[in-house]
Amino acid sequence: MEFLAALPINDLSWIHQPDAWVALLTLTILEIVLGIDNIVFISILVDKLPKDQQPRARFLGLGLAMFMRIALLFSISWVMTLNNDLFAVFGQGFSGKDLILIGGGLFLLFKSTREIHHKIEGDPEGDIKASAPARAALGAILIQIAMLDLVFSLDSVITAVGMADSILVMVIAVVIAVGFMMVFAGAVSDFINRHPTVKMLALSFLILIGVMLTIEGVAPEKAHDLHLKNYIYFAMAFSVMVEMLNIRVSAKQKKKAAGVVGH
């Protein structure tokens, strides 16, 4: 309630403030960047559903992410208490936020490693589960999406509060960013599923993100001092660039081979 009193949602004075518009633009871009991890994770999970269920699952998953971010914004006073230490182990304090990051990181590590194993070794269990009712499968996937949404939303909300003074600016940035992701999530998902190497690369990224989240939960100061997030995102960007070049070369080779066969 203190937060709502400090940042009333019906306060439109920010409309006449250039700084607020700059914050809105910057925050929207950051929300989209922070949401890329979410899109990749959702795309990989949704691929397990029947084709006709996938668009609905992506929409519900991203809608859930938007709802969770907005709910956390209105509960920011509680979110900030998550930074308070709950207990200490060998002199290292652990807060509610740390525990959520560790849990989310370990879940990502488990899920991504399991998916890679299934891609390489096959997934007989998945074939059996595929015969289960689609509604049950959709529910299970949405639960997994919700678990990771909570982790990604914490990062997103804390970033938002540090950049904007109006809760309305934050909410608008979140809505625009999620709307943008909803428009392009289908294309991203189709691209990942069309290229097996990209899918494997995406799963590797999720492992890196899982490691990063776990380290940030266990030793946040060291992760910050080492600029761990910057190194990981640079490595991911470089890998994507190399993979795009590989895809382009492969496409040219296929086109050339098809031309030779045609003659």
Side-chain angles (χ1 to χ4, degrees), residues 164-182:
D165 295 325
S166 169
I167 190 172
L168 194 55
V169 170
M170 301 178 208
V171 170
I172 291 173
V174 167
V175 171
I176 293 174
V178 173
F180 181 88
M181 289 188 281
M182 283 180 174

Side-chain angles (χ1 to χ4, degrees), residues 4-218:
L4 291 177
L7 297 172
I9 194 167
N10 60 350
D11 181 9
L12 300 179
S13 60
W14 65 271
I15 293 177
H16 307 291
Q17 300 171 6
D19 290 348
W21 286 98
V22 172
L24 176 60
L25 177 61
T26 307
L27 190 53
T28 300
I29 294 171
L30 278 175
E31 289 290 332
I32 292 171
V33 172
L34 290 172
I36 291 173
D37 304 340
N38 222 350
I39 291 179
V40 171
F41 183 74
I42 289 173
S43 298
I44 291 171
L45 282 182
V46 164
D47 185 44
K48 295 178 175 295
L49 292 171
K51 287 287 183 185
D52 60 328
Q53 291 278 333
Q54 291 181 13
R56 183 184 173 207
R58 280 194 296 268
F59 179 81
L60 290 174
L62 288 170
L64 196 60
M66 181 174 70
F67 172 79
M68 201 167 290
R69 279 165 168 76
I70 293 174
L72 287 175
L73 279 172
F74 281 101
S75 310
I76 195 62
S77 296
W78 170 77
V79 171
M80 288 309 179
T81 64
L82 293 175
N83 289 319
N84 301 330
D85 288 349
L86 299 175
F87 59 90
V89 177
F90 299 115
Q92 174 67 46
F94 288 90
S95 65
K97 179 188 173 186
D98 295 334
L99 296 179
I100 291 173
L101 290 176
I102 293 170
L106 292 176
F107 177 75
L108 261 185
L109 284 171
F110 166 76
K111 192 67 183 175
S112 304
T113 304
R114 191 164 178 247
E115 289 294 325
I116 290 175
H117 174 77
H118 289 165
K119 290 295 173 188
I120 296 174
E121 301 290 339
D123 184 13
E125 290 183 6
D127 296 335
I128 295 171
K129 290 177 183 176
S131 61
R135 187 175 299 175
L138 177 61
I141 284 174
L142 288 177
I143 289 172
Q144 294 179 63
I145 290 173
M147 290 171 64
L148 261 297
D149 276 347
L150 177 61
V151 179
F152 293 136
S153 294
L154 271 180
D155 220 9
S156 169
V157 166
I158 291 171
T159 300
V161 172
M163 293 192 59
D165 295 325
S166 169
I167 190 172
L168 194 55
V169 170
M170 301 178 208
V171 170
I172 291 173
V174 167
V175 171
I176 293 174
V178 173
F180 181 88
M181 289 188 281
M182 283 180 174
V183 170
F184 291 98
V188 171
S189 183
D190 292 341
F191 181 78
I192 289 174
N193 292 325
R194 274 200 317 269
H195 301 280
T197 55
V198 172
K199 191 165 189 175
M200 194 63 70
L201 190 62
L203 287 167
S204 301
F205 288 167
L206 291 177
I207 288 179
L208 281 176
I209 294 166
V211 170
M212 179 183 72
L213 291 174
T214 305
I215 293 175
E216 285 185 345
V218 173

